[in-house]
Amino acid sequence: MSLPTLLSPVKNSAATAKVNLPVLGMSCAACAVSVESVLQHTPGVKAATVNFAAQTVNVEYDGQTVTPLDMQKAVQSVGYDLIVAAENAFEQQSEAQQLHVEQLRRRTIGAMLLAAPTAIIGMFFMDMPYANWIMFGLSLPVLVFFGKDFFRNAFLQARRGRANMDTLVALSTGVAFIFSTFNTIYPEYWHQRGLHPHVYFEAAMVIIAFILLGKYLEERAKGQTSSAIKKLMGLQPKTVQVVRAGQELTLPVGEVQIGDIVLVRPGGKIAVDGVLTEGNSFVDESMLNGEPLPVEKRATDPVFAGTLNQKGSFQFRAEKVGSQTLLAQIIQTVQEAQGSKAPVQRLVDKIAGIFVPVVMGIALLSFAVWLIFGGENAFTHALLALVTVLVIACPCALGLATPTAITVGVGKGAENHILIKDAESLETAHRVNAVVLDKTGTITQGKPAVTDWHWFQAEPLYKRLLLSMESRSEHPLAEAVVRRLEEEGVLGRPRLEQFASITGQGVEAMYEGRRYFVGNEKMMKNRGVIIPASVEQTAAEWQEAAHTVVYFAGTEEGVLAALAIADPIKPSSHEAVAQLHRQGIEVFMLTGDNPQTAASIARQVGITSFQAEVMPGDKAEFVQKLQAEGKTVAMVGDGINDAPALAQADVGVAMGKGTDIAMEVAAITLMRSDLTALPKMFRLSRKTVSTIHQNLFWAFIYNLIGIPIAAGVLYPAFGFLLNPMLAGIAMALSSVSVVTNSLRLKQLKL
């Protein structure tokens, strides 16, 4: 489906239309709610649903009452934007997002460069000549330009009667800056009253710089979602060869119609779903079933969009096109799963929503009480109390509580080859009580190999003959045999005569007047080769363990060798499953493979719950089912077929040797493709979350003690009024406590 088609209004009736529009400016779940709300209250709009992951909104509206331009104006009124142009809208959105991230990067660098000297002067050289004026000059650009979005967002939140972290940042840094500016311009006001005019430029600047850094890292990581969808879309070729009226035409894939005969050449991608009508080949369907072995295709067999043809050529009749194909359904499932997860509002924002009004109330109350009962210097004490309360309530420690722990936790994960791209997933992982493992490439190596062989006549010539025959074979298992022989150091390939491939059985060839065969049991029987009872017993044991058995024989020599081929289990898989069980986590296995192989693999690694012959959508549904039972689910996979389930899971974990799409949909990647890193990741999450909770305690303990003192509760009894400078020191101590506590994570042994 082309982008213009996607964006053009779809008429459902004479008046009702639907349109899918890109949204600009959304940075959190609350933004998505705001866009949704303003559109739903726009006259003529019947329904609006925002997909925060895809940064789009689906709108159903009355085309006679409202237009997309009207919707754009409504969304712009609350600080966001829509792209309503049909042509290249999603490209425009991508460019706008990249520009926003780049602007945020520049603002972060600018704020850091100015905050550093401000902090150094404020902490160590506050008595140098013109120190306050220098800090004022350095701070003004940070507040007015680099940190302007905090004040803009705080204003927009206030208009809707809300408060969040931006409100707290804008309030405390704004008051600290204004108070410091007043003290710089007119220090005599305090000198006349016997007080020193302290300034807090450095505190305000450091807060803005650090929180900008956190926002930049978050926005940069968020771009991975849409790129995964684009790569999924890229699996479908842009053009296709179609036979119409006896002529071969090259058409855009969007023009393929049901019933068209489509040509597929060796190495080509299949464009739409259909049924093979002529020719045969092997097709790589790993994106659907996750299995490493290509599937043999003959007449009447189904083929699917996005899969990759290997060596043969064939024609097929198109039966599903556009949004009806299995690939399109996978893309839709990934988008819906990413957008439908209940967004977890950050703990700091929740706290700030309560904390900000409380602090403002205490500050204003203390100002009013001092103004009424303060006596001779009522206004001076009232102003000092107001500023001191706001300074000691400064969100520096609160803003550092989560990101410092996350930063150290992410670094600790990297040391252990665990790449964590999404802080929310690291926070969520400690609650996981169910893990769903894909089989191929996750529990197993994901590549067929000769796991065992038995030679009855071990002459070097026979190994060279086998190498020569399998080198010419097109069967996927032949590559595993060639690889094993080459690893054994077998060299030289005898010249074969009359080589032939027998579909569904194997290959045969002549060498020096003698005929040799490589294939399955059916081929041996058809060629009159007698398999000894001892060989049959060994083959039966291999088959019981879900191995594929291949025989090498000659008409005169009989059976020369028997080989077992399988996808080997990773050495670490059994131990990883055992560790997960010890952590109290249920483990499930899903695979597109047959039930016999699935049961064998599950038994060998200690998994009791598994499902075989599972399609991509079934995996996502299985995850949904576990979530409906109240479980917090982690999905671990490596293939395109795992992408919907990875997106649906509470925590998506990709294997490092998997597909790019799996790694981009997942928030966590095990770089060594070693499952023993999974229980380590859960231990790291539990410790990181525990550290965050401790940090929040340290962030607030100073406030709980300091705010009442700053308000003046000790003055009536002890004549003590907290100096704003001491409030700044208390704020700094809370930040130091938070950072120091987070650094303890570096000593954690996983």
Side-chain angles (χ1 to χ4, degrees):
M1 183 180 294
S2 64
L3 292 180
T5 304
L6 243 176
L7 293 166
S8 300
V10 179
K11 299 290 184 180
N12 294 332
S13 66
T16 303
K18 283 186 177 180
V19 68
N20 188 36
L21 299 171
V23 186
L24 298 178
M26 294 193 301
S27 61
C28 64
C31 299
V33 172
S34 297
V35 171
E36 212 168 77
S37 177
V38 73
L39 284 173
Q40 287 172 346
H41 287 88
T42 300
V45 173
K46 298 182 178 181
T49 305
V50 171
N51 185 330
F52 177 58
Q55 298 280 293
T56 60
V57 60
N58 246 314
V59 187
E60 183 179 347
Y61 64 99
D62 184 343
Q64 296 179 349
T65 306
V66 65
T67 68
L69 285 173
D70 297 325
M71 300 176 208
Q72 183 184 40
K73 290 177 182 177
V75 171
Q76 287 173 342
S77 70
V78 290
Y80 308 100
D81 200 359
L82 297 178
I83 298 178
V84 297
E87 293 295 331
N88 302 319
F90 286 92
E91 284 83 351
Q92 291 180 41
Q93 180 192 34
S94 178
E95 289 172 4
Q97 288 172 339
Q98 290 175 7
L99 180 61
H100 172 65
V101 173
E102 179 59 24
Q103 288 175 342
L104 196 53
R105 184 183 74 87
R106 290 175 181 172
R107 290 180 183 178
T108 301
I109 293 173
M112 287 284 187
L113 290 175
L114 295 179
T118 306
I120 292 171
I121 294 171
M123 294 172 65
F124 304 109
F125 303 102
M126 68 285 290
D127 295 325
M128 66 182 281
Y130 305 107
N132 289 0
W133 284 106
I134 293 171
M135 288 190 288
F136 170 79
L138 292 170
S139 302
L140 190 61
V142 175
L143 217 73
V144 173
F145 179 68
F146 299 128
K148 65 180 179 181
D149 282 349
F150 293 115
F151 297 91
R152 174 179 170 274
N153 294 338
F155 174 72
L156 291 173
Q157 290 290 333
R159 282 179 55 183
R160 295 193 290 271
R162 299 175 186 170
N164 65 358
M165 190 67 180
D166 287 339
T167 309
L168 202 56
V169 172
L171 185 65
S172 60
T173 57
V175 167
F177 180 81
I178 292 170
F179 184 73
S180 300
T181 301
F182 175 82
N183 290 354
T184 300
I185 297 172
Y186 188 37
E188 291 80 9
Y189 177 86
W190 300 105
H191 289 148
Q192 292 169 2
R193 289 159 178 78
L195 297 171
H196 182 73
H198 295 290
V199 296
Y200 305 97
F201 291 118
E202 76 285 356
M205 298 311 99
V206 168
I207 293 167
I208 289 175
F210 268 104
I211 296 178
L212 273 176
L213 177 62
K215 283 184 175 289
Y216 164 65
L217 295 174
E218 184 178 354
E219 288 294 320
R220 191 178 65 171
K222 203 166 38 177
Q224 300 300 322
T225 297
S226 58
S227 62
I229 299 295
K230 288 173 186 173
K231 287 198 175 184
L232 277 172
M233 292 177 174
L235 291 174
Q236 188 181 50
K238 291 182 171 59
T239 60
V240 63
Q241 280 69 47
V242 174
V243 178
R244 287 182 183 172
Q247 291 187 337
E248 183 177 327
L249 307 173
T250 300
L251 301 175
V253 70
E255 294 183 15
V256 177
Q257 300 175 4
I258 294 174
D260 278 341
I261 298 299
V262 181
L263 304 179
V264 183
R265 294 188 170 88
K269 288 182 179 178
I270 296 169
V272 296
D273 293 359
V275 173
L276 197 133
T277 58
E278 184 180 320
N280 59 75
S281 182
F282 286 93
V283 175
D284 182 354
E285 293 187 346
S286 58
M287 61 155 285
L288 299 179
N289 57 27
E291 297 309 307
L293 294 180
V295 179
E296 186 175 3
K297 296 291 181 180
R298 288 182 262 180
T300 73
D301 286 342
V303 291
F304 303 97
T307 57
L308 182 66
N309 183 33
Q310 294 209 320
K311 298 180 180 179
S313 298
F314 59 85
Q315 298 181 7
F316 72 92
R317 183 177 62 255
E319 293 199 336
K320 292 181 180 179
V321 299
S323 61
Q324 298 176 334
T325 67
L326 193 55
L327 174 61
Q329 291 171 17
I330 291 175
I331 294 170
Q332 183 180 355
T333 303
V334 172
Q335 287 177 320
E336 290 177 353
Q338 288 178 324
S340 65
K341 286 192 292 188
V344 181
Q345 187 178 5
R346 294 194 179 279
L347 181 60
V348 170
D349 274 346
K350 286 184 177 180
I351 294 171
I354 301 169
F355 185 61
V356 172
V358 170
V359 169
M360 290 176 65
I362 293 173
L364 292 173
L365 180 63
S366 61
F367 181 84
V369 170
W370 275 104
L371 200 60
I372 297 170
F373 303 105
E376 183 179 352
N377 293 316
F379 179 76
T380 300
H381 287 307
L383 185 60
L384 280 174
L386 175 71
V387 172
T388 306
V389 168
L390 291 176
V391 168
I392 204 168
C394 177
C396 191
L398 185 60
L400 290 172
T402 300
T404 53
I406 291 294
T407 299
V408 179
V410 167
K412 190 67 181 178
E415 287 178 15
N416 289 270
H417 311 286
I418 303 167
L419 177 62
I420 300 164
K421 298 183 293 181
D422 182 347
E424 185 175 316
S425 290
L426 180 61
E427 294 177 42
T428 305
H430 81 286
R431 295 188 284 107
V432 167
N433 50 21
V435 168
V436 179
L437 301 175
D438 171 54
K439 177 184 76 71
T440 306
T442 302
I443 295 175
T444 67
Q445 300 283 3
K447 193 174 185 180
V450 177
T451 57
D452 203 352
W453 64 11
H454 185 71
W455 285 87
F456 302 97
Q457 297 190 40
E459 290 185 26
L461 170 63
Y462 294 137
K463 288 189 176 182
R464 292 199 300 272
L465 271 175
L466 179 60
L467 175 63
S468 185
M469 292 177 71
E470 290 292 72
S471 297
R472 294 182 62 177
S473 173
E474 294 183 352
H475 198 284
L477 292 181
E479 295 179 11
V481 179
V482 170
R483 193 164 52 249
R484 176 64 183 269
L485 288 166
E486 289 177 343
E487 288 171 357
E488 292 283 321
V490 177
L491 300 173
R493 303 183 185 186
R495 185 179 181 84
L496 302 175
E497 306 161 7
Q498 299 181 8
F499 179 86
S501 177
I502 313 301
T503 302
Q505 296 185 36
V507 296
E508 63 179 344
M510 293 283 291
Y511 177 70
E512 293 186 349
R514 296 186 178 185
R515 192 171 297 277
Y516 295 90
F517 316 102
V518 181
N520 55 23
E521 185 178 0
K522 182 180 179 180
M523 184 177 207
M524 298 300 112
K525 290 180 178 178
N526 289 343
R527 298 300 184 274
V529 177
I530 298 174
I531 302 175
S534 60
V535 180
E536 286 187 334
Q537 182 178 350
T538 301
E541 292 173 358
W542 287 343
Q543 289 170 339
E544 181 66 25
H547 290 50
T548 299
V549 179
V550 174
Y551 298 96
F552 175 39
T555 50
E556 297 184 18
E557 296 87 348
V559 177
L560 295 168
L563 300 85
I565 301 176
D567 183 8
I569 295 173
K570 294 177 182 177
S572 60
S573 294
H574 185 276
E575 175 58 26
V577 171
Q579 287 186 34
L580 291 172
H581 284 152
R582 286 196 292 271
Q583 291 182 1
I585 297 173
E586 291 184 79
V587 183
F588 304 85
M589 185 186 80
L590 301 181
T591 177
D593 213 337
N594 62 73
Q596 182 184 3
T597 301
S600 175
I601 298 296
R603 182 173 61 253
Q604 292 178 64
V605 297
I607 296 175
T608 56
S609 301
F610 65 90
Q611 287 190 11
E613 297 178 344
V614 178
M615 294 298 284
D618 299 331
K619 292 185 179 182
E621 288 178 7
F622 185 82
V623 171
Q624 279 182 320
K625 178 184 173 184
L626 293 178
Q627 290 170 328
E629 294 172 2
K631 292 182 171 64
T632 303
V633 183
M635 171 69 198
V636 188
D638 74 322
I640 296 167
N641 65 310
D642 300 317
L646 289 169
Q648 177 62 45
D650 299 284
V651 179
V653 182
M655 306 302 286
K657 293 181 181 178
T659 63
D660 289 344
I661 292 169
M663 285 190 280
E664 288 178 9
V665 171
I668 297 172
T669 299
L670 308 183
M671 296 307 295
R672 283 187 171 176
S673 291
D674 183 346
L675 272 181
T676 53
L678 193 61
K680 290 182 180 179
M681 186 266 290
F682 291 132
R683 283 194 289 271
L684 176 63
S685 173
R686 285 191 287 271
K687 190 63 179 177
T688 302
V689 170
S690 172
T691 301
I692 290 172
H693 291 162
Q694 293 167 10
N695 286 350
L696 291 174
F697 168 80
W698 288 112
F700 278 104
I701 191 66
Y702 293 96
N703 289 327
L704 291 174
I705 297 171
I707 287 176
I709 298 174
V713 296
L714 297 180
Y715 191 82
F718 303 100
F720 178 77
L721 187 63
L722 187 65
N723 189 298
M725 192 62 182
L726 293 176
I729 293 172
M731 180 201 71
L733 283 174
S734 66
S735 299
V736 170
S737 302
V738 163
V739 173
T740 304
N741 191 51
S742 294
L743 290 173
R744 291 173 58 242
L745 276 172
K746 284 191 172 184
Q747 311 305 319
L748 178 65
K749 289 186 178 180
L750 298 178

